[in-house]
Amino acid sequence: MTGDATKTLPLEDLHQAAGAKFGAFAGWSMPLTYPAGVMKEHQHTREHVGLFDISHMKLFAVSGAGAAALLNRACPIDAEALEVSQSKLTFFLNDEAGILDDLIVTRLGADRFMVVANAGNAIADEAHLKALARDFDARVEPLDRVFLAIQGPEAEAVLAKAGVDGSSLTFMHGFEPRPNWFMSRSGYTGEDGFEIGLPEADARALLGQLLADERAMWIGLAARDSLRLEAGLCLHGNDISPDTDPASGALMWAVPKEIRSSGTFIGADALRAIVEKGAARKRVGLKPEGRQPVRGGAALFDADGNPAGTVTSGGFGPSAGHPVAMGYVSTPLAKAGTKLFADVRGTRVPVEVSALPFTPHRYRKG
Amino acid sequence: MAKTYFTEDHEWLSVDGNVATVGITDYAQEQLGDLVFVDLPEVGRKLAKGDTAVVVESVKAASDVYAPLDGEITEVNGALSGDPALVNSAAATDGWLWKMKLADEGQLAGLLDEAGYKAHIG
């Protein structure tokens, strides 16, 4: 962040009318909670449909004969191998294989891709990708869109009632259903759901219908965080950062096997060296014993009191019914069931290394 | 007859003799959101005004509740261990946090009354 004034969402008036409480996140004034409160918002998303305004995130159209080659350079991805409409989680890495940002790339056509970037990194991402694009026959175009997430088991039905048919999409696929719309079946909650980037006027019309459906309600950033944490999904800046790499982050599943050895993406040599040597630490789920939440930043210790790692995200899981956390531990301690202790205000809270996610993913895989 | 005082840090005190029951105001619980854990202090702990007496944890964050006056903790609200959301549903009554024996009742003069607190939160 460069100290610029806090940005406001294009639909801020709708959130105000819905009674949102706002707070700053990644340079944006964002709805944190609505009058229902974080617990109800969280549960409503798992049971029905949550509407999230994620317009702080940025969409980039990448096009041209060299678009796939550009993405293969910028990300540990095989863009040529993506089928049209297929989406992939990927990263921008630095030369040390540190994670500059995590992104979703979707192939829209032979020479066209959509890249979705995190709010806090959007400006740096744009500069990074545009600088790389000079060496390729490719254009990088940031898009001015409202971006909505419609998440939960009834998302497809609620959208269908509003005249938007997402039934042809399976998880991690996307397309352009209307001019200047981008819609993918993906999300950040562990539930089935969609993300739609669209012009503001279209968004207001669509929301008029969605909000009239009692199955759907606005969900704030607080519940977005508890939902993604239960789902074991990383928040960039907390759980992954330029100081962590895909191997330590337990995210190598996102790096196709073929390019681990042959890829020429930025950070490839460093990532190969880390994989060959074995990552010294690993991202794991952490389940605190009892009811006391363990928060990001808490130090972890083994049973003998030796430093074991750090918590990177933690809070309460309303669906799990207990505190949930994520963090990094030395690789020998990364096995599920390992007992550790987190320092919370001077008290050692027992935590257990736990498999992620805490609540099962319910994606529509086809 | 108990008398109720308030602090600028959004606490209420119900004072009966030299014992104060302390909680957070309805305004404060609304700002914090759904509470999931209340870290209660030991009975017998001596507090100086401004010490962290209790930590209340919402889904997202931990927040300190400060000792409004000097004194010693005589009782904590054990019901909050099983049901921390009592602070949300009944901040001014069943959601009380702790009771303390006041070291100096003269300090009460520095607190707000209900009208003063209402003016403070606007």
Side-chain angles (χ1 to χ4, degrees):
Chain A
M1 290 293 94
T2 50
D4 294 345
T6 303
K7 295 185 278 266
T8 52
L9 296 170
L11 304 181
E12 188 176 64
D13 58 311
L14 295 186
H15 303 300
Q16 274 168 345
K21 268 198 231 117
F22 291 83
F25 175 78
W28 290 80
S29 172
M30 297 293 294
L32 298 183
T33 55
Y34 296 85
V38 57
M39 289 283 203
K40 287 208 180 77
E41 291 172 34
H42 179 115
Q43 302 286 14
H44 190 90
T45 305
R46 294 248 183 269
E47 288 161 18
H48 303 286
V49 179
L51 302 176
F52 303 75
D53 189 342
I54 52 170
S55 306
H56 60 314
M57 297 180 71
K58 196 69 195 170
L59 296 161
F60 296 104
V62 179
S63 58
L70 166 62
L71 291 171
N72 287 350
R73 174 71 183 141
C75 309
I77 195 176
D78 186 355
E80 318 270 9
L82 288 181
E83 290 165 20
V84 170
S85 93
Q86 193 182 352
S87 305
K88 274 286 283 180
L89 172 73
T90 189
F91 317 98
F92 287 154
L93 303 178
N94 62 25
D95 287 331
E96 288 76 45
I99 301 172
L100 298 172
D101 200 6
D102 61 319
L103 315 150
I104 303 278
V105 171
T106 304
R107 188 167 205 168
L108 296 174
D111 295 334
R112 293 175 55 241
F113 296 84
M114 189 68 77
V115 176
V116 180
N118 283 306
N121 302 318
I123 293 166
D125 287 344
E126 182 178 343
H128 180 68
L129 200 52
K130 280 186 167 166
L132 292 175
R134 289 189 206 115
D135 295 335
F136 296 88
D137 178 11
R139 262 166 45 87
V140 176
E141 187 192 352
L143 302 178
D144 187 19
R145 297 284 184 273
V146 164
F147 200 29
L148 302 173
I150 300 99
Q151 301 280 302
E154 293 172 331
E156 184 185 308
V158 165
L159 277 170
K161 197 178 163 204
V164 179
D165 181 9
S167 62
S168 65
L169 290 173
T170 54
F171 181 61
M172 290 305 273
H173 286 77
F175 69 147
E176 294 166 297
R178 299 178 193 181
N180 297 319
W181 282 42
F182 169 68
M183 174 172 178
S184 72
R185 196 155 197 159
S186 62
Y188 197 46
T189 60
E191 298 299 323
D192 182 25
F194 300 85
E195 292 182 347
I196 305 178
L198 70 180
E200 183 182 333
D202 292 1
R204 287 181 182 275
L206 175 62
L207 282 164
Q209 290 181 274
L210 295 178
L211 290 166
D213 191 319
E214 62 183 17
R215 294 171 290 184
M217 65 183 254
W218 281 122
I219 309 295
L221 215 52
R224 183 168 167 83
D225 193 54
S226 56
L227 287 159
R228 70 92 193 167
L229 184 52
E230 281 186 342
L233 302 172
C234 293
L235 172 62
H236 191 272
N238 282 40
D239 311 302
I240 49 176
S241 74
D243 296 325
T244 62
D245 59 84
S248 312
L251 294 164
M252 286 303 288
W253 57 268
V255 182
K257 288 220 166 52
E258 316 76 69
I259 70 150
R260 291 185 198 176
S261 51
S262 63
T264 55
F265 57 90
I266 295 170
D269 292 343
L271 186 57
R272 262 172 225 132
I274 292 164
V275 169
E276 200 165 300
K277 193 165 163 239
R281 52 188 190 135
K282 287 271 183 191
R283 181 177 61 91
V284 295
L286 298 163
K287 180 181 182 295
E289 208 173 86
R291 307 286 298 175
Q292 177 155 26
V294 170
R295 311 283 179 182
L300 293 165
F301 299 89
D302 67 13
D304 299 322
N306 303 309
T310 313
V311 177
T312 50
S313 281
F316 188 81
S319 302
H322 56 74
V324 292
M326 257 197 263
Y328 283 78
V329 300
S330 334
T331 302
L333 299 172
K335 240 178 73 182
T338 304
K339 309 267 192 213
L340 299 171
F341 296 86
D343 181 278
V344 179
R345 301 184 288 275
T347 304
R348 295 281 160 99
V349 175
V351 301
E352 189 176 298
V353 174
S354 167
L356 293 172
F358 293 102
T359 49
H361 293 160
R362 299 198 291 176
Y363 301 137
R364 179 72 63 85
K365 293 201 168 169
Chain B
M1 183 62 201
K3 189 167 175 204
T4 304
Y5 299 84
F6 295 85
T7 72
E8 292 186 354
D9 294 326
H10 310 289
E11 293 151 298
W12 57 262
L13 292 84
S14 174
V15 179
D16 198 350
N18 68 345
V19 174
T21 304
V22 184
I24 62 169
T25 63
D26 196 53
Y27 174 86
Q29 71 75 20
E30 199 175 297
Q31 297 302 308
L32 292 167
D34 297 321
L35 295 186
V36 297
F37 185 77
V38 180
D39 198 354
L40 294 165
E42 301 276 312
V43 169
R45 206 179 126 201
K46 288 201 165 62
L47 296 167
K49 182 179 173 179
D51 287 353
T52 297
V54 161
V55 181
V56 290
E57 305 237 15
S58 68
V59 173
K60 185 103 176 89
S63 309
D64 292 339
V65 183
Y66 305 109
L69 301 171
D70 301 343
E72 180 181 328
I73 294 189
T74 56
E75 196 180 338
V76 296
N77 187 356
L80 301 180
S81 306
D83 188 7
L86 269 179
V87 179
N88 295 115
S89 58
T93 53
D94 291 348
W96 63 276
L97 300 175
W98 76 89
K99 295 187 184 188
M100 66 194 293
K101 197 168 134 189
L102 301 178
D104 174 8
E105 289 167 55
Q107 288 181 327
L108 289 167
L111 301 180
L112 303 170
D113 62 8
E114 189 168 3
Y117 179 68
K118 278 188 174 154
H120 173 62
I121 58 176

